[in-house]
Amino acid sequence: MDSFEFTKIAGAVLSALLLIFGVKTAIDMNVGHTPEKPGFVLPAAAPAETAKPAEAAAATAPAAGGGEEVVALLAKANPENGKAIFTKCQACHVSEKGKAPTVGPNLWDVVNRPKASYPGFSYSDAMKKKGGDWSFAELAHFLHGPKTFVPGTKMVFSGLPSSSDEADVIAYLATLADTPVPLPK
Ligand code: HEC
């Protein structure tokens, strides 16, 4: 192969590379600008105690009020109604003592249980890092806005339509134990 032929081949290879690079850049320029979900949650949105950002509230359409409102409703919550509402949770949760977890962890005896502790269930890192026990207040905040209370949780659930429904379902969870946990007064 003489040097002229080599130059032609090298030139062809180079222009092919340029073309590939050019097309890739063009694609990146277009694709790179499609809106993506932010990879982090702004600190202001992280604690459930603070107000929800309007955007998150619109996206998940949770019940009005906050987790505190749910806690306040617990004293007169209706576990029977909660049992009926719990059928929505059963898409992902079993709640019979000793039964193997399904999509979500088994919820038998969940009130006052340490978070992310059901044996044999693979929790998200976010839930494992949250720490502490499932007090009534923490359950209220979590059910009211799972992704607000535990950013990064794998519980894909947007919340119940009303705070009293949330209180009722928590009152039902409290009955799921050998010794049911008394509701806060
Ligand atoms: C679409 C499936 C799905 C639905 C519906 C769902 N959950 Fe969950 N839930 C999960 C998953 C998955 C987890 C584990 C979350 C993690 O590891 O981040 C979880 C975790 C939980 C936990 C924490 C338990 C623990 O052991 O730490 C509670 C409490 C809970 N869910 C209650 C409920 C209640 C009450 C409902 C109904 C109102 C409900 N969930 C509806 C999937 C679901």
Side-chain angles (χ1 to χ4, degrees), residues 101-180:
T102 48
V103 178
N106 186 327
L107 293 181
W108 170 260
D109 208 4
V110 73
V111 178
N112 293 336
R113 175 168 97 188
K115 293 196 188 72
S117 67
Y118 198 85
F121 184 77
S122 167
Y123 290 91
S124 65
D125 288 342
M127 187 62 87
K128 284 189 263 187
K129 284 195 194 117
K130 186 75 183 173
D133 297 349
W134 281 120
S135 64
F136 282 114
E138 302 227 357
L139 283 168
H141 285 296
F142 181 58
L143 284 193
H144 195 70
K147 293 223 182 301
T148 312
F149 188 63
V150 184
T153 179
K154 47 178 195 172
M155 174 152 140
V156 185
F157 185 72
S158 55
L160 290 166
S162 80
S163 294
S164 73
D165 279 1
E166 287 165 357
D168 289 352
V169 88
I170 292 169
Y172 173 66
L173 290 178
T175 68
L176 302 176
D178 287 330
T179 313

